[in-house]
Amino acid sequence: MAAEDQIPRAQANPEKSKKRKKPKKDKWGQPIAAAADERAVEQVQEQETPEEPAVAAAEVGEGAESYECGKVVASGMPYTTTEEEIRELFDRFGPIRSLQLSRFPDSGNFRGLAFVTFESDEVALKSLELDGYKIGNRFMRVERCRITASSKRQKKTEFQSDPEKPDGCLSAYVGNLSWNISEKDLRDFFKSSRIASIRFAIDKRTGDSRGFCHVDFEDDESLEKAVGMNQSELRGRPVKIAYAIINRA
């Protein structure tokens, strides 16, 4: 017997003996990307949860996670899916209060992830029936939208009632904004007021909007008009408008 025939096959072919890493698949058997993408939904929720007054949460069971009331997150959709198609898909369960599509910051294209907020938590729970629904050549995942650690921390610091107007205040806090809101959108929204400047809050790590801004007005009358528009809808979201708190060192 030749010497090479006496060598165990695993030793003779060390490269073949190495176990190939099997591609990871989701719960429907569809291949998914590397480990970095496994937390994509969680990361997007962290980045796109605007800093706004606390929303009601529903908890199931002792020690269970907390979820945003009436809100679900749909992921795994084809990038070609339109807002109209998503709205039509979820509208069958009940009235939709807002629909927020997540987009790639560089191209602005849809990234297959959307946040759907219904009028009630009961309707949101019914929409979970779409979990595993095939859309295009992919299987969509629908789950309740968790209250992230960042939003929990935010709740501890944000005011539960509107702050009183500080002396000399000409600025307003504007929250619960859509991630892709523009300065033009805000100027059109506050068209009855005279705006001096708009200061968006930007995430230093990602460069994306943090979901709120401060608007400086030219006169007190303009500020009062703006604050009077609190909870008015802008791009499908009820906007929080309050007097800006002046931070003193």
Side-chain angles (χ1 to χ4, degrees):
M1 184 180 291
E4 60 267 24
D5 292 336
Q6 299 177 6
I7 301 174
R9 183 172 297 178
Q11 296 179 16
N13 300 285
E15 293 184 0
K16 291 184 179 180
S17 66
K18 293 180 180 178
K19 291 184 178 180
R20 290 188 177 181
K21 209 168 186 179
K22 293 183 179 180
K24 296 185 177 182
K25 297 182 179 181
D26 59 25
K27 68 180 187 179
W28 302 288
Q30 298 298 308
I32 60 177
D37 290 336
E38 292 182 1
R39 297 185 65 247
V41 173
E42 183 178 348
Q43 291 173 348
V44 171
Q45 289 189 47
E46 288 279 354
Q47 294 172 10
E48 300 200 356
T49 300
E51 298 190 24
E52 57 187 70
V55 295
E59 296 187 5
V60 181
E62 186 177 353
E65 288 187 275
S66 296
Y67 302 94
E68 293 197 38
C69 185
K71 190 172 185 178
V72 298
V73 54
S75 59
M77 290 176 282
Y79 294 163
T80 54
T81 309
T82 65
E83 180 175 344
E84 290 72 22
E85 290 173 334
I86 299 172
R87 188 176 293 276
E88 182 179 353
L89 194 61
F90 283 91
D91 193 54
R92 68 181 73 170
F93 297 98
I96 296 175
R97 191 172 69 184
S98 67
L99 174 61
Q100 182 182 8
L101 273 61
S102 177
R103 301 180 184 276
F104 291 106
D106 53 348
S107 64
N109 295 329
F110 179 53
R111 65 193 301 173
L113 177 69
F115 297 90
V116 186
T117 304
F118 294 94
E119 294 292 341
S120 69
D121 200 51
E122 181 181 359
V123 176
L125 290 174
K126 288 181 181 179
S127 73
L128 297 181
E129 296 176 10
L130 288 174
D131 188 31
Y133 180 84
K134 188 173 184 181
I135 178 170
N137 62 348
R138 303 193 65 181
F139 292 91
M140 178 172 60
R141 183 177 182 183
V142 181
E143 55 189 327
R144 301 182 72 184
C145 189
R146 297 187 303 276
I147 295 180
T148 62
S150 62
S151 61
K152 287 180 181 178
R153 290 192 299 269
Q154 179 64 23
K155 288 179 185 181
K156 295 180 181 179
T157 58
E158 60 197 9
F159 43 82
Q160 297 300 316
S161 59
D162 293 344
E164 294 183 3
K165 183 179 180 181
D167 293 337
C169 176
L170 287 177
S171 301
Y173 163 90
V174 184
N176 195 30
L177 295 173
S178 174
W179 75 274
N180 58 352
I181 202 77
S182 68
E183 182 171 333
K184 182 180 183 303
D185 292 328
L186 285 169
R187 288 187 178 276
D188 290 342
F189 183 66
F190 293 117
K191 59 185 178 182
S192 62
S193 297
R194 300 174 61 190
I195 296 176
S197 63
I198 298 175
R199 296 170 284 125
F200 286 97
I202 303 298
D203 188 308
K204 294 180 180 179
R205 182 172 60 86
T206 65
D208 296 330
S209 169
R210 294 172 62 189
F212 71 97
C213 71
H214 288 87
V215 181
D216 302 319
F217 295 93
E218 294 187 3
D219 51 62
D220 188 70
E221 182 182 357
S222 294
L223 172 63
E224 293 300 328
K225 287 182 179 179
V227 174
M229 295 173 65
N230 183 36
Q231 297 303 318
S232 296
E233 187 173 296
L234 174 60
R235 302 194 71 170
R237 299 174 68 92
V239 179
K240 175 64 182 179
I241 307 171
Y243 298 118
I245 298 175
I246 300 175
N247 295 320
R248 293 182 173 87

